[in-house]
Amino acid sequence: MVDAAVAILDETPPSVASSKQGDVTAGTSVSSSASTTASQNKHAGQHKALKKLSVMDCSSMTEIVPNAEPVVIDNECFSGHVMLLVRTPDVDDVKEMTPTLDSAKRISKYFKNYKRRFEFQFQIKLKKVPTGPLFLGCEVEEMIKISRWTKGLSGVLLAMIRRINSGFHYSWGIEKDTTDPEDIQEGRYEKTHLSFPVEASMDRIVITKPGETPPELGYELHETNASVKRRRRMGAGSVDWNLENTYTMCLWSAYCDWIKWKSMNVPGVRPFSLSIVTGQQPIYLSVYELKDITPEEYRKKKPPHRRCDIQVYTRLEFSHHDMTDGSLNPRLQNKMESLDDSYGDTDSEVETLSAATDGNDSKKLPPAR
């Protein structure tokens, strides 16, 4: 459902010149040689297009290499594994190189059955039981500046999403230059973001009780249609979160291609670069709890999601070799390496991509599996 974040806005904001890491302090020191070597090993046997993309766990500074093995994720809120499945060009073009890594070959075959461009899978055990509603959010560090016309159109689309998803929340963010510095320091503001209740936004949630075997990551997850409909109807509060069960969840989208850094397959909308919306900023996906309010109270009051009122469970940074600046990943901080950027793009798509970078002048979308 978070794919709506890349389909509802269409205007280029100013470039983001400085590195903004959000919950990780800008300028954090990282052992670049060790990190780069590890990621290169995980890219061995993969389609070369995946090197364009970087996904980083902001807490541990670990790169999550798609289509490889699950990555350990451990923080004060939960422990477990995360795995990112990404559709590579070989899925749709027989002329493209075929991955040799077993997991990558299997995942390419898996995507041939669906339209989805990526699938995120999580398998966790909680260390604390959330008392407030949990949200899955898509955010950027700097406010997006858009025209009045675009904002009006976006408002119509956002209202449509809210009618379908009652728990949907969004904010345009703040102008940091005109906001009281004390409010920023104390977290009395919202970032530019879109968010949905975790229970309603995940495409699959599989609950495994103690003594049972949880599903394996990297394969299709199965949940009954009745369970999916119930979660999406009820939203926050529809899942019994506890410390005993194992929760395996996945989120997929046919509308966002991370390798091409594009929104695509949206009915009535031509494919466009995500940079038209976000400029050169990385994009962040996060899971967070809204503190000091129950899901029932939230449904009545619908308060803002101020930084001081949320607890971030996990935050992942998405960045791109060609399209973003300020990545946490040492591999992307040195852009001297020239990479082929025409993976499966048509001529018109390449022109659109160039225009997005040179000219700085849903959920629910129709089902797409």
Side-chain angles (χ1 to χ4, degrees), residues 107-337:
I107 290 168
S108 287
K109 184 177 180 181
Y110 171 70
F111 276 118
K112 286 182 181 294
N113 298 318
Y114 301 106
K115 296 180 179 178
R116 56 190 80 160
R117 312 302 296 186
F118 74 89
E119 181 173 331
F120 239 124
Q121 297 184 350
F122 301 84
Q123 188 169 90
I124 64 169
K125 288 198 70 173
L126 293 171
K127 296 181 180 179
K128 65 181 289 288
V129 178
T131 57
L134 292 176
F135 287 88
L136 178 67
C138 179
E139 64 188 32
V140 292
E141 284 295 312
E142 300 296 327
M143 183 179 181
I144 295 173
K145 298 183 183 297
I146 60 176
S147 69
R148 183 182 305 167
W149 182 88
T150 302
K151 195 167 187 176
L153 174 61
S154 301
V156 173
L157 295 172
L158 290 167
M160 178 181 68
I161 295 172
R162 178 169 283 171
R163 282 198 302 271
I164 299 172
N165 305 274
S166 61
F168 169 65
H169 176 81
Y170 73 93
S171 171
W172 294 106
I174 61 168
E175 290 275 9
K176 291 185 178 179
D177 293 340
T178 59
T179 302
D180 187 336
E182 185 176 341
D183 286 340
I184 295 178
Q185 184 176 0
E186 298 296 328
R188 294 192 293 265
Y189 71 97
E190 291 186 89
K191 287 184 177 180
T192 303
H193 75 283
L194 302 172
S195 62
F196 298 85
V198 165
E199 294 94 331
S201 59
M202 290 295 175
D203 289 288
R204 297 289 182 266
I205 297 181
V206 180
I207 301 175
T208 306
K209 297 184 181 299
E212 300 176 348
T213 302
E216 185 176 358
L217 297 185
Y219 296 84
E220 185 167 12
L221 300 181
H222 298 281
E223 182 184 7
T224 65
N225 289 334
S227 176
V228 174
K229 290 179 180 178
R230 175 182 173 274
R231 286 194 295 104
R232 292 182 173 167
R233 183 180 67 253
M234 293 181 60
S238 61
V239 172
D240 175 25
W241 304 108
N242 60 58
L243 305 184
E244 289 76 38
N245 293 338
T246 298
Y247 300 92
T248 308
M249 302 170 279
C250 72
L251 170 77
W252 65 64
S253 174
Y255 306 112
C256 179
D257 190 308
W258 294 112
I259 292 178
K260 295 182 179 181
W261 205 250
K262 285 184 179 182
S263 174
M264 51 200 312
N265 300 323
V266 179
V269 180
R270 291 181 59 187
F272 63 88
S273 170
L274 302 183
S275 296
I276 292 178
V277 177
T278 61
Q280 293 175 290
Q281 300 184 79
I283 296 173
Y284 298 88
L285 291 184
S286 63
V287 175
Y288 63 89
E289 177 186 357
L290 200 59
K291 301 181 294 185
D292 302 323
I293 189 170
T294 66
E296 293 75 20
E297 292 172 331
Y298 178 82
R299 279 192 282 268
K300 295 177 182 178
K301 299 178 180 179
K302 289 188 167 53
H305 295 197
R306 302 186 306 173
R307 305 309 294 180
C308 61
D309 296 325
I310 70 174
Q311 178 178 10
V312 177
Y313 279 43
T314 189
R315 192 171 195 248
L316 305 178
E317 179 201 74
F318 285 72
S319 56
H320 192 277
H321 181 275
D322 299 330
M323 307 302 291
T324 64
D325 285 333
S327 171
L328 290 174
N329 194 336
R331 187 170 60 81
L332 267 63
Q333 290 171 4
N334 180 4
K335 295 193 176 185
M336 297 300 292
E337 180 184 2

Side-chain angles (χ1 to χ4, degrees), residues 33-106:
S33 59
S35 300
T36 301
T37 301
S39 66
Q40 288 175 344
N41 291 339
K42 290 183 179 180
H43 279 103
Q46 299 259 35
H47 194 288
K48 62 182 180 179
L50 286 178
K51 288 187 176 181
K52 290 279 189 179
L53 172 65
S54 164
V55 183
M56 295 288 289
D57 175 9
C58 295
S59 177
S60 66
M61 298 295 291
T62 301
E63 181 174 7
I64 301 169
V65 177
N67 302 352
E69 71 272 12
V71 175
V72 173
I73 188 166
D74 193 355
N75 53 52
E76 62 179 316
C77 300
F78 65 83
S79 62
H81 294 80
V82 60
M83 186 171 184
L84 175 58
L85 287 59
V86 169
R87 189 186 197 97
T88 47
D90 57 286
V91 175
D92 304 300
D93 188 349
V94 294
K95 297 179 181 179
E96 285 285 341
M97 65 169 288
T98 301
T100 58
L101 186 68
D102 287 343
S103 62
K105 289 192 294 185
R106 186 186 71 249

